[in-house]
Amino acid sequence: MAAPLSAWPWEILGVFKYMLYGPFVAKVWDSRYREANQSSWCLHILIICLLRGMMYLSWNAYSHMLFLTRNRLIFKQGVDFKQIDREWNWDNFILLQAIVAALVLQMLPVHETLPVWNPKGIIAIILLHTAVSEPLYYCIHKWFHRDYLFNHYHSLHHSSAVPQPITAGHGSLLENLVLSAVIGIPILGCCIIGCGSISLIYGYVLIFDFLRCLGHSNVEIIPHQLFERIPFLRYIFSTPTYHSLHHKELDTNYCLFMPLFDALGNTLNIKSWEMHKEISQDSGKNGRVPDFVFLAHVVDISAAMHVPFVLRSIASLPYTTRICMLPFWPIAFVTMLVMWAKSKTFLISFYNLRDRLHQTWAVPRFGFQYFLPFAAQGINKHIEEAILRADRLGVKVISLAALNKNEALNGGGMLFVDKHPNLKVRVVHGNTLTAAVILNEIPEDVTEVFLTGATSKLGRAIALYLCRKGVRVLMLTLSTERFRKIQKEAPVDYQKYLVQVTKYQAAQNCKTWIVGKWITPREQNFAPARTHFHQFVVPPILQFRRDCTYGDLAAMKLPEDVKGLGSCEYTMDRGVVHACHAGGVVHSLEGWNHDEVGAIDVDRIDLVWKAALKHGLKPVSKIGSIVTKSIS
């Protein structure tokens, strides 16, 4: 049984908890309709709640801007899905304090005569905060670290392994009721003694939230030189490092914002200033070198918002178009133009796997730009610079995503390896594992397949592999020359299994389609009922036929021991990455010293597949039935 006041009363409401703001909205609407002013404070409460939410989300966005903060992080591990889920309802405290404020104003109508501005309030609220709120919070916080209260209430707040701005609001009902008193006493005191004002309330609440976000940001932005020049300031306000030590060691650094009270209570961690100086000094240096880099690109303007530094909660779910994100579309569009004009490859996210640091970098280009002839040179320049940067840093493997390895663009990465033959970093397109995943999905009793995109890099490898297994491959292509070239690569005895077709009608009796080139609903109609569409085309084809089934894009689930992973890769489920990403991971884990660029080596498909399974990567296909004879 849960302890009293540990759970939130509106937990069962889910997202409908926001309906509890309804009475405030109704009161404001009624007031405007009646042209009365008695309910103006309901409007102020709503505005303050909105500003507070924006404050926490803005800080949270900043803390996830790894291209700005990576060298200033205090806790070096990533925020995983478990923490994100635990903190999902972090804004409960804002709703609670709105209700508390409304109840207080009903009982003590001190707001009726408040001016917009009263300069006397500044001194008064500073004194009240220092003399009342700070010592009160210190004592209560220390009290909450006793066994019973910690285990039943405060442990929820400390369950977050990596402090984040929204972690500040993540706690039980009881401790947030206490916090409501801590923040409310100075405001109420100023109003009672005649020093209150509307601007004072706005200012104090938002500054209070700003400092809480700063303390939980996990990013050290305060230079150590400030405390060296003005030593007493270190007792006046705490730094993110200072509060992070409390989350790490628990029994020190209890203060709200002023370490003075930890000094007076003999609970000040002696490592606070030394650790702050160390992190501050290291902010100008490059941090740990990643072992593996996945070089991605932006898909489209809507998908550009599916990143942790926009909304962490949205990024932790598979990408789909969400109505709530549409208002931000104009901002994303302007950002796209700015990135096109002037930007460079930047860090998006990271995770750890078996003491190896894996990062995702993004080329600042959107999907449509890869199909603009005049943009090819600039895109290749960005990719080349990213590879050379990885080489300088000491990265072991860099894997090219989707369009970054387009055959027409750079020959599947061959352009860069040929241009820079002395690269130490291994350049990988990952398509060998992509081919293995697709082949693994095909039932072993299949004797005939229809292949579109048949002369592409992946199409060629799939055709050559299947023909060696005695599977008849109908290769859709208008180029007899390209077909013949691929056919000659097959062993003589198996060349007969490769058949060129030029029309979709040729596959009217084939129930296994492998789609490597986008097909329209009309073209899908040529497939017989109960056909399954395997695919390696981006974007995926429309699931038009109800009497057929559709496979996902080739992907694999990362091993269970992955740490710090908290964002989904495009439309993939949690912990699942595109097969080309997984291919780079396998290349890194195996320590292979060759580049994987250009044409796929068909003889290595089984080898790469076995290595992926050996390292704990798992196929995620909905069908997943074959393990070809050579693989099994």
Side-chain angles (χ1 to χ4, degrees):
M1 182 177 178
L5 299 179
S6 62
W8 294 89
W10 47 76
E11 276 185 2
I12 59 173
L13 296 179
V15 295
F16 294 105
K17 69 181 181 181
Y18 297 109
M19 293 178 64
L20 296 175
Y21 286 108
F24 293 94
V25 176
K27 196 74 172 175
V28 172
W29 180 264
D30 181 68
S31 176
R32 291 294 180 266
Y33 180 75
R34 296 173 182 271
E35 298 183 356
N37 294 319
Q38 65 268 27
S39 298
S40 63
W41 270 99
C42 286
L43 177 61
H44 286 300
I45 289 174
L46 287 174
I47 293 174
I48 289 174
C49 288
L50 178 62
L51 292 175
R52 297 184 78 184
M54 291 173 62
M55 172 80 74
Y56 281 86
L57 289 176
S58 297
W59 263 102
N60 212 59
Y62 170 72
S63 69
H64 281 85
M65 292 180 179
L66 297 174
F67 48 90
L68 297 177
T69 65
R70 65 185 181 278
N71 294 329
R72 295 180 176 272
L73 295 179
I74 301 166
F75 287 88
K76 304 299 183 182
Q77 64 264 42
V79 180
D80 61 20
F81 292 117
K82 290 181 180 179
Q83 178 171 338
I84 293 171
D85 289 342
R86 279 196 299 266
E87 295 178 346
W88 200 271
N89 293 307
W90 64 271
D91 59 342
N92 278 337
F93 79 99
I94 298 178
L95 175 56
L96 172 68
Q97 291 175 7
I99 295 172
V100 170
L103 293 175
V104 170
L105 292 175
Q106 282 290 102
M107 295 183 291
L108 300 171
V110 292
H111 61 282
E112 295 179 353
T113 58
L114 285 183
V116 174
W117 168 250
N118 185 346
K120 296 178 181 178
I122 298 176
I123 302 298
I125 206 161
I126 290 175
L127 291 174
L128 285 169
H129 175 85
T130 305
V132 181
S133 292
E134 285 286 348
L136 178 63
Y137 180 87
Y138 174 83
C139 293
I140 294 176
H141 189 189
K142 194 173 180 181
W143 188 44
F144 266 105
H145 274 261
R146 294 181 178 178
D147 288 345
Y148 178 82
L149 290 175
F150 184 84
N151 292 333
H152 291 85
Y153 297 97
H154 197 48
S155 60
L156 179 63
H157 177 71
H158 281 278
S159 65
S160 298
V162 183
Q164 295 283 281
I166 60 178
T167 305
H170 177 55
S172 64
L173 174 61
L174 178 60
E175 55 190 323
N176 276 287
L177 281 170
V178 172
L179 188 64
S180 300
V182 170
I183 192 174
I185 288 173
I187 295 173
L188 192 59
C190 285
C191 293
I192 291 174
I193 65 176
C195 296
S197 66
I198 295 174
S199 56
L200 179 74
I201 296 173
Y202 273 81
Y204 180 72
V205 171
L206 295 179
I207 291 173
F208 191 98
D209 284 340
F210 181 90
L211 293 175
R212 291 193 79 208
C213 288
L214 172 65
H216 288 85
S217 66
N218 194 40
V219 180
E220 188 51 79
I221 63 174
I222 299 176
H224 69 280
Q225 294 90 340
L226 178 64
F227 293 148
E228 291 178 351
R229 293 172 184 171
I230 314 175
F232 79 89
L233 283 181
R234 65 182 59 177
Y235 296 101
I236 302 303
F237 63 89
S238 60
T239 66
T241 303
Y242 187 92
H243 190 70
S244 293
L245 270 171
H246 170 71
H247 277 261
K248 183 178 181 180
E249 300 186 8
L250 296 181
D251 58 349
T252 59
N253 295 7
Y254 292 108
C255 77
L256 180 57
F257 305 131
M258 300 177 67
L260 171 65
F261 292 93
D262 277 310
L264 294 174
N266 198 31
T267 55
L268 195 154
N269 194 312
I270 58 174
K271 296 182 289 187
S272 299
W273 320 130
E274 181 183 346
M275 185 175 172
H276 172 247
K277 181 177 180 179
E278 180 183 341
I279 294 174
S280 178
Q281 286 178 330
D282 290 346
S283 64
K285 306 174 184 177
N286 284 324
R288 179 182 172 185
V289 175
D291 299 277
F292 165 73
V293 168
F294 182 58
L295 187 61
H297 62 80
V298 190
V299 177
D300 55 37
I301 292 176
S302 179
M305 296 179 281
H306 188 252
V307 287
F309 58 81
V310 175
L311 279 178
R312 185 186 74 173
S313 56
I314 297 296
S316 72
L317 301 173
Y319 167 76
T320 185
T321 301
R322 289 182 169 83
I323 296 176
C324 65
M325 300 301 292
L326 293 181
F328 300 100
W329 199 93
I331 299 174
F333 179 77
V334 173
T335 302
M336 182 268 293
L337 295 178
V338 173
M339 289 170 64
W340 199 348
K342 186 176 182 180
S343 184
K344 59 182 181 180
T345 300
F346 57 96
L347 173 61
I348 292 288
S349 61
F350 71 94
Y351 61 88
N352 293 89
L353 180 62
R354 296 165 197 170
D355 296 323
R356 298 167 182 258
L357 177 60
H358 293 194
Q359 293 182 347
T360 296
W361 298 358
V363 172
R365 291 296 181 267
F366 289 63
F368 77 91
Q369 294 168 320
Y370 284 77
F371 300 97
L372 302 176
F374 61 84
Q377 185 177 354
I379 292 172
N380 274 333
K381 182 179 179 182
H382 278 292
I383 299 171
E384 181 181 8
E385 288 174 349
I387 292 172
L388 293 177
R389 179 186 168 202
D391 192 59
R392 289 194 304 269
L393 290 174
V395 177
K396 295 181 177 64
V397 176
I398 184 167
S399 180
L400 307 181
L403 297 174
N404 284 335
K405 59 190 175 192
N406 186 284
E407 193 70 25
L409 183 68
N410 51 48
M414 184 69 76
L415 172 68
F416 311 114
V417 174
D418 288 344
K419 186 176 180 180
H420 303 282
N422 296 321
L423 287 173
K424 295 179 181 178
V425 63
R426 298 299 106 196
V427 182
V428 175
H429 56 47
N431 281 342
T432 307
L433 185 56
T434 303
V437 171
I438 296 168
L439 290 165
N440 181 61
E441 293 177 352
I442 302 172
E444 56 185 3
D445 59 349
V446 166
T447 58
E448 183 180 69
V449 301
F450 176 62
L451 178 64
T452 73
T455 59
S456 67
K457 187 190 312 175
L458 272 166
R460 165 194 163 275
I462 290 170
L464 290 173
Y465 186 96
L466 288 175
C467 80
R468 293 180 184 182
K469 303 301 176 185
V471 177
R472 188 167 182 259
V473 184
L474 305 178
M475 300 176 64
L476 180 68
T477 177
L478 296 176
S479 174
T480 301
E481 179 184 355
R482 296 177 70 177
F483 168 75
R484 293 294 184 194
K485 184 178 179 181
I486 294 173
Q487 189 180 45
K488 288 179 181 178
E489 290 187 66
V492 176
D493 292 342
Y494 295 98
Q495 291 181 5
K496 62 184 178 181
Y497 291 105
L498 299 180
V499 180
Q500 181 186 10
V501 296
T502 58
K503 296 181 180 180
Y504 287 91
Q505 290 90 325
Q508 291 182 95
N509 297 316
C510 181
K511 293 185 177 181
T512 303
W513 284 37
I514 305 176
V515 182
K517 184 178 181 181
W518 210 82
I519 57 177
T520 65
R522 179 178 175 274
E523 290 163 340
Q524 291 181 37
N525 276 328
F526 289 110
R530 295 187 296 280
T531 291
H532 182 76
F533 293 92
H534 304 269
Q535 52 185 321
F536 58 93
V537 60
V538 179
I541 61 176
L542 298 175
Q543 298 188 14
F544 173 73
R545 294 279 300 274
R546 293 188 177 183
D547 57 345
C548 297
T549 55
Y550 294 80
D552 299 320
L553 292 177
M556 297 199 81
K557 185 174 176 60
L558 291 171
E560 296 296 331
D561 55 341
V562 65
K563 297 179 180 178
L565 182 63
S567 59
C568 290
E569 189 169 284
Y570 196 38
T571 58
M572 300 290 112
D573 289 331
R574 288 181 168 186
V576 177
V577 296
H578 292 91
C580 57
H581 183 154
V585 171
V586 172
H587 205 99
S588 173
L589 292 173
E590 282 290 309
W592 288 328
N593 291 318
H594 66 278
D595 295 301
E596 185 190 334
V597 294
I600 296 172
D601 185 349
V602 180
D603 294 329
R604 290 186 61 84
I605 291 177
D606 291 346
L607 175 67
V608 172
W609 177 251
K610 288 178 180 179
L613 298 181
K614 179 183 74 174
H615 287 292
L617 284 88
K618 300 176 182 177
V620 294
S621 168
K622 295 176 182 177
I623 295 182
S625 52
I626 182 186
V627 175
T628 55
K629 291 180 177 63
S630 64
I631 294 177
S632 60

